[in-house]
Amino acid sequence: MALHQTDRGVAAPYDDVYAMPVSEHTLPKYRMPEAVSDPRAVYALIHDELALDGNAAQNLATFCTTWAEAEVHQLMDECLDKNMVDKDEYPQTADIESRCVHILADLWHSPQGASTMGCSTTGSSEAAMLGGLALKWRWRKRREAEGRPAGRPNLVCGPVQVCWEKFARYFDVELRQVPLEPDATGLRPHQLRDHVDENTIGVVAILGVTYTCDYEPVQEIAAELDAIQADTGLDVPVHVDAASGGFVAPFLHPGLEWDFRVPRVASINSSGHKYGMAPLGVGWAVWRSADLLPGDLVFRVSYLGGDMPTFALNFSRPGGEVVAQYYNLLRLGREGYRRIYRAASDSARWLGGEIAGMGPFTLLYDGRGALPAVSWTLTDPAGTGFTLYDLTEQLRLRGWQVPAYPLPPRRQETVVQRVLIRHGISHDKVELLAADVRAALARLRDGAGKPAPHQPGFHH
Ligand SMILES: *Cc1c(COP(=O)(O)O)cnc(C)c1O
């Protein structure tokens, strides 16, 4: 056999990636191809197709990491083969996960930071499921010990992210979503009394409401639950969904008591891949102290002759995101996180001022006191002549992704727009965005952003 003979579809070195068999046809979409193809050509084709996705650097809708240092890329590459669950094969990766848990427990003022329980997850959604399950187990155990029925648990919350609706549905818990009051951006403590009862497994307070980016007042929510306990005897724990706020508040608002400094806060979840600045695929769940995580939720896996507790919905899971989280915590330190979020927050406040000055908008959240973000609504939706959905479309012409969406029930007639400022979004980029919002407004006011009116004379 001649040595130069190659399989059909594998290029000789002088071939061009756009003139190979795989590049000259439509890519298979429903059936695996029979032939093997040249990796460079397949890479180029997939790379080119991905360019049709939105540009993540202009995605102001997401809370998630869209920029990372070269060292993070390098560690992610080196961890391609690390399976988080193989704690005996990769004991250092397991140890790094555990260090992150204790660092976060300490950052969030756990009274037992070095010994408490917690774990990494694929994101806040999985972490919320675990937090919710621990609440449900503890409530059920208490009810059973009291000899009372434990069949109809409920969870009380404000305008939560969809993960809590999933938790409630998947794990058979009634979700009591307290409707938003007029002008409110989240749950208000005085609303709780009408919703909690003996079947309430817990109250979820949100540090960084998805719709408006504001913080719910965790300390006041806990104080109201203290008052409810004094009056009724009901002892309702709080879980804080700090998906985005958990990595912002400790640096921008260190005096704000939202974490384990509030005795009623039993557990906290946060997304490492949001303001934690880790790549996509990592979240954290941390309990105030080890006794708050019911033992029968924790599975024991033998580990180097010892015993490794695991609490997770997944089994195999990549380790790179966890390692990259540790890198960020070490590399940036508190000072680094503080500097990055001060800069982001300054840009958000500047943008808030610009948006407020443009005329048609009313700010819902001006970038002060919570996430580095801004949200707004039209002051007079009926009289403005265009909608925020129209503005979203106009901004998209320049590549910006700025979502418009309705507020949750009771305020769903209010459509809002939201911009998140993260690591990698510079002040200059925010100024370019503001200029584009002004230009889009000018076009919408001229009617240029509207579809052409129906033209008579084109009937057939
Ligand atoms: C993003 C978010 C979630 C879900 O987090 P993932 O990490 O995307 O799973 C839950 N709650 C809040 C408040 C969020 O902002």
Side-chain angles (χ1 to χ4, degrees):
M1 182 188 277
L3 281 174
H4 63 265
Q5 190 176 331
T6 59
D7 286 327
R8 190 164 59 88
V10 176
Y14 48 82
D15 276 349
D16 185 274
V17 292
Y18 293 101
M20 289 181 185
V22 67
S23 333
E24 291 181 282
H25 298 97
T26 312
L27 288 181
K29 295 189 175 71
Y30 300 104
R31 200 159 179 269
M32 198 173 168
E34 194 53 44
V36 66
S37 291
D38 187 279
R40 291 166 304 148
V42 175
Y43 171 82
L45 294 171
I46 294 178
H47 173 89
D48 290 352
E49 178 158 4
L50 289 175
L52 298 179
D53 275 340
N55 173 13
Q58 281 183 291
N59 180 358
L60 302 176
T62 186
F63 292 82
C64 293
T65 304
T66 51
W67 185 86
E69 290 180 325
E71 289 76 7
V72 169
H73 289 266
Q74 208 172 321
L75 283 171
M76 288 295 285
D77 196 24
E78 290 165 19
C79 291
L80 193 74
D81 53 2
K82 304 278 191 198
N83 189 344
M84 211 58 241
V85 83
D86 288 337
K87 294 178 196 291
D88 47 354
E89 284 89 344
Y90 309 117
Q92 290 324 114
T93 303
D95 200 59
I96 283 174
E97 178 195 30
S98 166
R99 289 178 213 169
C100 289
V101 166
H102 298 305
I103 288 173
L104 292 179
D106 174 65
L107 192 64
W108 299 334
H109 300 95
S110 161
Q112 300 170 17
S115 64
T116 193
M117 298 287 268
C119 55
S120 70
T121 59
T122 48
S124 275
S125 298
E126 186 189 0
M129 309 276 159
L130 302 182
L133 281 171
L135 290 177
K136 186 179 172 183
W137 251 245
R138 289 213 312 281
W139 167 82
R140 193 166 55 199
K141 206 167 263 178
R142 199 174 61 230
R143 296 286 290 175
E144 283 168 358
E146 292 167 357
R148 303 170 77 183
R152 304 188 51 202
N154 69 69
L155 182 69
V156 174
C157 60
V160 280
Q161 209 261 359
V162 67
C163 70
W164 292 101
E165 295 177 38
K166 288 186 182 174
F167 164 72
R169 184 100 44 97
Y170 297 169
F171 296 106
D172 219 4
V173 171
E174 178 201 346
L175 192 69
R176 291 198 179 157
Q177 252 181 304
V178 180
L180 272 180
E181 291 193 335
D183 302 324
T185 54
L187 179 67
R188 285 182 171 160
H190 74 89
Q191 297 179 287
L192 285 170
R193 215 168 263 265
D194 291 340
H195 295 86
V196 299
D197 60 24
E198 60 178 11
N199 291 318
T200 302
I201 64 171
V203 168
V204 175
I206 317 164
L207 205 73
V209 175
T210 317
Y211 301 89
T212 54
C213 304
D214 212 353
Y215 293 161
E216 286 182 339
V218 180
Q219 201 174 23
E220 289 79 0
I221 286 171
E224 178 66 12
L225 290 170
D226 291 345
I228 290 172
Q229 182 174 9
D231 295 345
T232 66
L234 296 174
D235 183 7
V236 181
V238 171
H239 172 95
V240 182
D241 179 354
S244 40
F247 281 95
V248 174
F251 310 111
L252 286 188
H253 318 107
L256 182 72
E257 298 198 1
W258 63 274
D259 51 14
F260 296 125
R261 280 169 288 181
V262 180
R264 201 169 278 279
V265 172
S267 46
I268 296 172
N269 70 268
S270 192
S271 298
H273 56 214
K274 289 186 174 174
Y275 288 93
M277 293 188 267
L280 276 168
V282 61
W284 301 96
V286 177
W287 283 266
R288 151 185 221 88
S289 51
D291 59 303
L292 292 177
L293 180 55
D296 41 350
L297 284 174
V298 178
F299 287 78
R300 304 251 156 207
V301 183
S302 60
Y303 165 64
L304 287 179
D307 208 27
M308 194 73 189
T310 91
F311 183 28
L313 299 182
N314 300 81
F315 191 68
S316 296
R317 195 156 55 80
E321 293 85 344
V322 170
V323 171
Q325 179 77 79
Y326 188 55
Y327 167 83
N328 278 333
L329 295 172
L330 293 192
R331 137 85 176 127
L332 295 171
R334 288 174 186 246
E335 185 195 359
Y337 274 86
R338 203 179 302 125
R339 279 165 60 172
I340 289 165
Y341 290 138
R342 275 205 186 129
S345 182
D346 287 350
S347 296
R349 288 200 301 272
W350 179 86
L351 181 65
E354 288 295 294
I355 295 286
M358 286 182 195
F361 308 119
T362 298
L363 293 180
L364 271 182
Y365 170 60
D366 63 2
R368 280 164 220 275
L371 302 184
V374 190
S375 63
W376 64 86
T377 181
L378 282 175
T379 309
D380 176 19
T384 305
F386 62 86
T387 66
L388 291 179
Y389 299 106
D390 296 327
L391 181 55
T392 290
E393 212 167 282
Q394 286 291 313
L395 292 172
R396 191 63 200 253
L397 295 175
R398 290 272 288 170
W400 301 110
Q401 298 176 64
V402 180
Y405 50 89
L407 283 183
R410 290 266 183 100
R411 291 199 69 189
Q412 72 264 49
E413 72 294 344
T414 305
V415 174
V416 303
Q417 221 158 19
R418 184 190 73 191
V419 162
L420 291 158
I421 314 293
R422 305 177 303 272
H423 196 200
I425 298 180
S426 65
H427 186 82
D428 189 64
K429 196 189 275 185
V430 177
E431 284 200 25
L432 292 171
L433 170 72
D436 280 343
V437 174
R438 283 182 202 284
L441 279 183
R443 282 197 303 277
L444 288 165
R445 282 178 173 138
D446 291 349
K450 295 260 169 208
H454 179 67
Q455 306 239 322
F458 275 79
H459 292 292
H460 293 287

PDB file of all heavy atoms in Angstrom, residues 63 123-125 161 163 206 208 210 241 243-244 271 273-274, ligand 1:
ATOM      1  N   PHE A  63     -25.880  37.745  33.513  1.00  0.00           N
ATOM      2  CA  PHE A  63     -25.145  37.951  34.762  1.00  0.00           C
ATOM      3  C   PHE A  63     -23.826  37.173  34.702  1.00  0.00           C
ATOM      4  O   PHE A  63     -23.023  37.261  35.614  1.00  0.00           O
ATOM      5  CB  PHE A  63     -25.934  37.384  35.944  1.00  0.00           C
ATOM      6  CG  PHE A  63     -27.219  38.098  36.280  1.00  0.00           C
ATOM      7  CD1 PHE A  63     -28.387  37.846  35.589  1.00  0.00           C
ATOM      8  CD2 PHE A  63     -27.256  39.003  37.326  1.00  0.00           C
ATOM      9  CE1 PHE A  63     -29.573  38.470  35.936  1.00  0.00           C
ATOM     10  CE2 PHE A  63     -28.446  39.637  37.676  1.00  0.00           C
ATOM     11  CZ  PHE A  63     -29.605  39.372  36.978  1.00  0.00           C
ATOM     12  N   GLY A 123     -24.375  25.329  39.173  1.00  0.00           N
ATOM     13  CA  GLY A 123     -24.796  26.727  39.146  1.00  0.00           C
ATOM     14  C   GLY A 123     -25.719  26.969  40.315  1.00  0.00           C
ATOM     15  O   GLY A 123     -25.907  26.081  41.162  1.00  0.00           O
ATOM     16  N   SER A 124     -26.314  28.162  40.361  1.00  0.00           N
ATOM     17  CA  SER A 124     -27.215  28.445  41.483  1.00  0.00           C
ATOM     18  C   SER A 124     -28.471  27.594  41.426  1.00  0.00           C
ATOM     19  O   SER A 124     -29.083  27.345  42.467  1.00  0.00           O
ATOM     20  CB  SER A 124     -27.595  29.927  41.488  1.00  0.00           C
ATOM     21  OG  SER A 124     -26.612  30.659  42.174  1.00  0.00           O
ATOM     22  N   SER A 125     -28.881  27.158  40.238  1.00  0.00           N
ATOM     23  CA  SER A 125     -30.108  26.358  40.167  1.00  0.00           C
ATOM     24  C   SER A 125     -29.953  25.074  40.970  1.00  0.00           C
ATOM     25  O   SER A 125     -30.801  24.747  41.802  1.00  0.00           O
ATOM     26  CB  SER A 125     -30.452  26.030  38.717  1.00  0.00           C
ATOM     27  OG  SER A 125     -30.676  27.222  38.010  1.00  0.00           O
ATOM     28  N   GLN A 161     -36.299  33.704  40.750  1.00  0.00           N
ATOM     29  CA  GLN A 161     -35.851  33.152  39.473  1.00  0.00           C
ATOM     30  C   GLN A 161     -36.513  31.793  39.283  1.00  0.00           C
ATOM     31  O   GLN A 161     -36.921  31.137  40.250  1.00  0.00           O
ATOM     32  CB  GLN A 161     -34.315  33.021  39.532  1.00  0.00           C
ATOM     33  CG  GLN A 161     -33.615  33.142  38.197  1.00  0.00           C
ATOM     34  CD  GLN A 161     -33.265  31.788  37.612  1.00  0.00           C
ATOM     35  OE1 GLN A 161     -33.539  30.765  38.211  1.00  0.00           O
ATOM     36  NE2 GLN A 161     -32.656  31.789  36.440  1.00  0.00           N
ATOM     37  N   CYS A 163     -35.576  28.906  38.890  1.00  0.00           N
ATOM     38  CA  CYS A 163     -35.054  27.709  39.559  1.00  0.00           C
ATOM     39  C   CYS A 163     -35.890  27.343  40.777  1.00  0.00           C
ATOM     40  O   CYS A 163     -36.014  26.159  41.117  1.00  0.00           O
ATOM     41  CB  CYS A 163     -33.581  27.871  39.929  1.00  0.00           C
ATOM     42  SG  CYS A 163     -33.240  29.040  41.243  1.00  0.00           S
ATOM     43  N   ILE A 206     -33.870  37.242  48.187  1.00  0.00           N
ATOM     44  CA  ILE A 206     -32.992  37.316  47.012  1.00  0.00           C
ATOM     45  C   ILE A 206     -32.039  38.493  47.119  1.00  0.00           C
ATOM     46  O   ILE A 206     -32.464  39.640  47.307  1.00  0.00           O
ATOM     47  CB  ILE A 206     -33.805  37.461  45.705  1.00  0.00           C
ATOM     48  CG1 ILE A 206     -35.009  36.519  45.712  1.00  0.00           C
ATOM     49  CG2 ILE A 206     -32.930  37.192  44.490  1.00  0.00           C
ATOM     50  CD1 ILE A 206     -36.029  36.876  44.671  1.00  0.00           C
ATOM     51  N   GLY A 208     -30.146  40.377  44.882  1.00  0.00           N
ATOM     52  CA  GLY A 208     -29.988  40.620  43.448  1.00  0.00           C
ATOM     53  C   GLY A 208     -31.172  40.032  42.693  1.00  0.00           C
ATOM     54  O   GLY A 208     -31.072  38.969  42.086  1.00  0.00           O
ATOM     55  N   THR A 210     -33.624  39.149  39.977  1.00  0.00           N
ATOM     56  CA  THR A 210     -33.359  38.975  38.553  1.00  0.00           C
ATOM     57  C   THR A 210     -33.968  40.097  37.703  1.00  0.00           C
ATOM     58  O   THR A 210     -33.349  40.554  36.754  1.00  0.00           O
ATOM     59  CB  THR A 210     -33.957  37.628  38.091  1.00  0.00           C
ATOM     60  OG1 THR A 210     -33.643  36.650  39.075  1.00  0.00           O
ATOM     61  CG2 THR A 210     -33.403  37.209  36.765  1.00  0.00           C
ATOM     62  N   ASP A 241     -30.956  33.481  48.318  1.00  0.00           N
ATOM     63  CA  ASP A 241     -30.536  33.246  46.938  1.00  0.00           C
ATOM     64  C   ASP A 241     -29.665  34.438  46.546  1.00  0.00           C
ATOM     65  O   ASP A 241     -30.157  35.481  46.132  1.00  0.00           O
ATOM     66  CB  ASP A 241     -31.754  33.129  46.025  1.00  0.00           C
ATOM     67  CG  ASP A 241     -31.366  32.914  44.561  1.00  0.00           C
ATOM     68  OD1 ASP A 241     -30.159  32.963  44.247  1.00  0.00           O
ATOM     69  OD2 ASP A 241     -32.272  32.715  43.728  1.00  0.00           O
ATOM     70  N   ALA A 243     -27.434  34.463  44.170  1.00  0.00           N
ATOM     71  CA  ALA A 243     -26.850  34.029  42.898  1.00  0.00           C
ATOM     72  C   ALA A 243     -25.869  35.076  42.381  1.00  0.00           C
ATOM     73  O   ALA A 243     -24.733  34.760  42.040  1.00  0.00           O
ATOM     74  CB  ALA A 243     -27.947  33.767  41.875  1.00  0.00           C
ATOM     75  N   SER A 244     -26.298  36.327  42.345  1.00  0.00           N
ATOM     76  CA  SER A 244     -25.377  37.365  41.879  1.00  0.00           C
ATOM     77  C   SER A 244     -24.823  38.199  43.023  1.00  0.00           C
ATOM     78  O   SER A 244     -23.650  38.571  43.006  1.00  0.00           O
ATOM     79  CB  SER A 244     -26.043  38.247  40.820  1.00  0.00           C
ATOM     80  OG  SER A 244     -27.370  38.507  41.144  1.00  0.00           O
ATOM     81  N   SER A 271     -23.792  31.980  42.435  1.00  0.00           N
ATOM     82  CA  SER A 271     -23.270  31.461  41.164  1.00  0.00           C
ATOM     83  C   SER A 271     -21.820  31.896  41.016  1.00  0.00           C
ATOM     84  O   SER A 271     -21.552  33.086  40.823  1.00  0.00           O
ATOM     85  CB  SER A 271     -24.080  32.004  39.984  1.00  0.00           C
ATOM     86  OG  SER A 271     -25.422  31.584  40.052  1.00  0.00           O
ATOM     87  N   HIS A 273     -20.183  31.374  38.486  1.00  0.00           N
ATOM     88  CA  HIS A 273     -20.046  31.811  37.089  1.00  0.00           C
ATOM     89  C   HIS A 273     -20.763  33.131  36.803  1.00  0.00           C
ATOM     90  O   HIS A 273     -20.824  33.557  35.662  1.00  0.00           O
ATOM     91  CB  HIS A 273     -20.509  30.719  36.117  1.00  0.00           C
ATOM     92  CG  HIS A 273     -21.911  30.247  36.338  1.00  0.00           C
ATOM     93  ND1 HIS A 273     -22.287  28.950  36.114  1.00  0.00           N
ATOM     94  CD2 HIS A 273     -23.028  30.876  36.743  1.00  0.00           C
ATOM     95  CE1 HIS A 273     -23.567  28.804  36.378  1.00  0.00           C
ATOM     96  NE2 HIS A 273     -24.038  29.954  36.763  1.00  0.00           N
ATOM     97  N   LYS A 274     -21.319  33.769  37.845  1.00  0.00           N
ATOM     98  CA  LYS A 274     -21.838  35.132  37.646  1.00  0.00           C
ATOM     99  C   LYS A 274     -20.762  36.079  38.195  1.00  0.00           C
ATOM    100  O   LYS A 274     -19.651  36.088  37.697  1.00  0.00           O
ATOM    101  CB  LYS A 274     -23.191  35.287  38.325  1.00  0.00           C
ATOM    102  CG  LYS A 274     -24.300  34.500  37.587  1.00  0.00           C
ATOM    103  CD  LYS A 274     -25.672  34.754  38.164  1.00  0.00           C
ATOM    104  CE  LYS A 274     -26.739  34.087  37.319  1.00  0.00           C
ATOM    105  NZ  LYS A 274     -28.071  34.204  37.936  1.00  0.00           N
TER     106      LYS A 274
HETATM  107  C1  LIG B   1     -29.132  33.418  37.768  1.00  0.00           C
HETATM  108  C2  LIG B   1     -29.960  33.226  38.966  1.00  0.00           C
HETATM  109  C3  LIG B   1     -30.329  31.942  39.370  1.00  0.00           C
HETATM  110  C4  LIG B   1     -29.936  30.719  38.591  1.00  0.00           C
HETATM  111  O1  LIG B   1     -28.555  30.588  38.623  1.00  0.00           O
HETATM  112  P1  LIG B   1     -27.710  29.681  37.605  1.00  0.00           P
HETATM  113  O2  LIG B   1     -26.336  29.796  38.149  1.00  0.00           O
HETATM  114  O3  LIG B   1     -27.892  30.297  36.260  1.00  0.00           O
HETATM  115  O4  LIG B   1     -28.272  28.291  37.679  1.00  0.00           O
HETATM  116  C5  LIG B   1     -31.063  31.822  40.534  1.00  0.00           C
HETATM  117  N1  LIG B   1     -31.441  32.895  41.240  1.00  0.00           N
HETATM  118  C6  LIG B   1     -31.112  34.148  40.881  1.00  0.00           C
HETATM  119  C7  LIG B   1     -31.550  35.305  41.724  1.00  0.00           C
HETATM  120  C8  LIG B   1     -30.370  34.360  39.724  1.00  0.00           C
HETATM  121  O5  LIG B   1     -30.026  35.606  39.363  1.00  0.00           O
END
